[in-house]
Amino acid sequence: MTRIDLHCHSRASDGTLTPSELMRAGVAAGLDVMAITDHDTTGGWDEAAAARPAGLTLVRGAELSCRWYGVEPAIPLHLLAYLFDPAEPHLAADLLRMRTDRERRGEKIVELLRADGVDISWPEVHGYAAGGSVGRPHIAQALIRAGLVRTTNEAFASRWLGARYFVPKADLDVFEAVRAVRAAGGVPVFAHPNATVRGRIVPDKLIVDLAEAGLFGLEADHEDHSIEQRAHVRALAADLGLIVTGSSDFHGTHKTVQLGAFTTELAAYEKIVAAGTGVPILG
Ligand code: AMP
Ligand code: FE
Ligand code: FE
Ligand code: ZN
């Protein structure tokens, strides 16, 4: 059986393993195919490619921070993008803008916390991100260091990063994102589309419209989906002619889920490979 995990984060964003460590962990977890999908960046691609062990196929991708503006307030969502050309100027500019705004927003959250007497600093948080895409898990790490929470999950409670110290970031309109990924030769897959545990979710009608706009697949098997949600996403994909994926959304020690906890079927993976024209798979 081919073991395929198409959603993994490294230290290029909010994972805790370097891209090289992630490659080795993939082999140790018995994976045959692994995608690196850091938030709003391709910054881990080169190191991952250089460190790729023989026998592990690497799919280069990213997870784009998007929003659907069809309701007020707009709903944030994540779009996985595979095999796009990182040099395509439009998409590259979008990614850069999102990373830059993550810095502004991270600094703002730290300011709000400091104003309430929380003893963390922007240089500390920025340091945890180690040059990658800064995210709330890096602020969570500082809150843990300061002894205010014990886990990343606790830091996302409403009294901390979930609501009280929530600051929105500049996300991409999801239709723009689907078009930009396609224009860069990439393959867009909607990450954890029914994950109500993360907040509001979009209606099925939006997914119908996204499919028309070029969406290629839906991530069905994910730890944030209940059994019913997985079945619902799978049925919707079948109706719309979309592929389904399953993946761990591995983040190292920032989450408890392990590599390969959920996997993608070979046939779906092969369709992604056939549709992606921006960069080849490696291996
Ligand atoms: P950001 O992209 O900066 O808005 O932070 C969101 C990221 O934090 C997500 O990609 C997850 O990796 C992580 N995250 C969100 N909610 C939680 C949670 N409850 N526990 C742990 N990590 C979370
Ligand atoms: Fe994340
Ligand atoms: Fe996500
Ligand atoms: Zn993710």
Side-chain angles (χ1 to χ4, degrees), residues 8-213:
C8 308
H9 295 265
S10 78
R11 285 188 71 167
S13 66
D14 56 3
T16 57
L17 300 187
T18 65
S20 321
E21 289 166 346
L22 182 64
M23 293 300 102
R24 290 194 286 275
V27 171
L31 296 180
D32 302 293
V33 179
M34 170 188 246
I36 182 167
T37 54
D38 279 303
H39 296 287
D40 306 322
T41 186
T42 59
W45 282 18
D46 290 350
E47 184 184 325
R52 183 185 64 80
L56 181 71
T57 297
L58 173 63
V59 175
R60 288 169 287 177
E63 185 175 22
L64 277 48
S65 306
C66 300
R67 244 182 276 185
W68 175 51
Y69 290 94
V71 288
E72 177 63 45
I75 297 179
L77 56 99
H78 287 169
L79 190 72
L80 291 160
Y82 300 110
L83 303 173
F84 59 87
D85 174 3
E88 194 286 315
H90 185 100
L91 184 57
D94 283 340
L95 292 176
L96 177 60
R97 183 158 41 79
M98 290 193 285
R99 288 196 304 276
T100 305
D101 197 66
R102 281 175 167 279
E103 306 246 339
R104 173 205 63 83
R105 177 255 211 159
E107 198 165 3
K108 179 77 197 167
I109 295 174
V110 170
E111 248 172 54
L112 293 174
L113 285 160
R114 287 177 62 87
D116 283 351
V118 172
D119 188 22
I120 65 171
S121 73
W122 176 240
E124 177 187 9
V125 170
H126 201 251
Y128 293 146
S133 233
V134 186
R136 284 180 288 166
H138 302 116
I139 302 174
Q141 201 173 333
L143 293 174
I144 293 169
R145 192 276 307 150
L148 293 161
V149 297
R150 275 162 306 167
T151 63
T152 309
N153 203 37
E154 225 178 278
F156 274 84
S158 57
R159 63 174 294 226
W160 296 108
L161 305 174
R164 176 140 184 217
Y165 298 98
F166 177 78
V167 176
K169 61 187 187 328
D171 298 329
L172 275 184
D173 174 284
V174 64
F175 287 93
E176 292 286 326
V178 165
R179 278 192 285 271
V181 169
R182 284 290 199 167
V187 184
V189 172
F190 195 156
H192 41 76
N194 269 16
T196 47
V197 290
R198 289 167 170 258
R200 290 173 303 150
I201 59 163
V202 301
D204 288 353
K205 174 65 173 72
L206 174 74
I207 298 180
V208 175
D209 294 346
L210 287 173
E212 213 155 281

